[in-house]
Amino acid sequence: MTAVVRLVLLAHASTEAQRAVRFPADEPLSQRGRRELERAVAPVADRVVAAPERRAVETAAALGTTAAVDRALRDLDYGNWAGRAMDEVPAESLQQWLTDPHAAPHGGESIAELTERVARWLDELAPGRVVAVTHPAVIRAATVHALGAPPAGFWRIDVRPLAQVRLHGRGGRWSLRLG
């Protein structure tokens, strides 16, 4: 019998990029994000890991956890769209990216590539209770992988700031745990 991984994927708190509908860069948390964290409680874990970006590291620290940075949890690479407002991106490029999970018109990472990266990370996790403070895109990718859904399902998952998604894994098989 293989030991179980009990994983809580925790989205970072709010940023100005989210409020302004900009593609993220390595921005800090917003004042709103700091207020959100005043009411938040860190899930119980044997170990805590965080994406390397400032907003994830700040979220983990504000929760009073000591998180090891894990580069596999880094945000989707938005290429030359990073930091740009969504309405500054050519409409046809944005449409291609939103409808084709293998497209990366911004020169960064495609949704399919992100999903593959996150799937490798999930499948290499050691057993135990793990909290991963990361990004909405990474949480969507993990959920798509856990459910065995196609990468096109990525955009059908909405992840709000400080949202928690619970996954249980054993032997490379994952299940989504609700409630």
Side-chain angles (χ1 to χ4, degrees), residues 53-79:
E53 292 85 3
R54 186 173 173 186
R55 57 199 182 274
V57 172
E58 286 181 4
T59 297
L63 291 171
T65 66
T66 302
V69 170
D70 190 329
R71 293 226 6 103
L73 293 171
R74 68 190 180 281
D75 201 358
L76 175 69
D77 178 356
Y78 294 97

Side-chain angles (χ1 to χ4, degrees), residues 118-159:
V118 172
R120 283 190 303 275
W121 177 80
L122 283 169
D123 293 341
E124 293 172 1
L125 274 177
R129 295 176 301 178
V130 180
V131 171
V133 182
T134 190
H135 308 280
V138 172
I139 295 171
R140 285 184 192 108
T143 304
V144 163
H145 175 67
L147 296 176
F154 179 89
W155 293 114
R156 296 187 177 175
I157 302 166
D158 187 22
V159 181

Side-chain angles (χ1 to χ4, degrees), residues 10-19 27-40 54-60 62-63 133-136 139 159-163:
L10 176 65
H12 63 74
S14 293
T15 67
E16 283 302 314
Q18 290 171 314
R19 185 194 60 73
E27 68 273 349
L29 298 177
S30 64
Q31 290 295 62
R32 177 183 180 161
R34 293 184 197 297
R35 285 191 306 274
E36 292 165 350
L37 283 160
E38 291 172 3
R39 301 179 300 273
R54 186 173 173 186
R55 57 199 182 274
V57 172
E58 286 181 4
T59 297
L63 291 171
V133 182
T134 190
H135 308 280
I139 295 171
V159 181
R160 299 182 53 86
L162 295 179

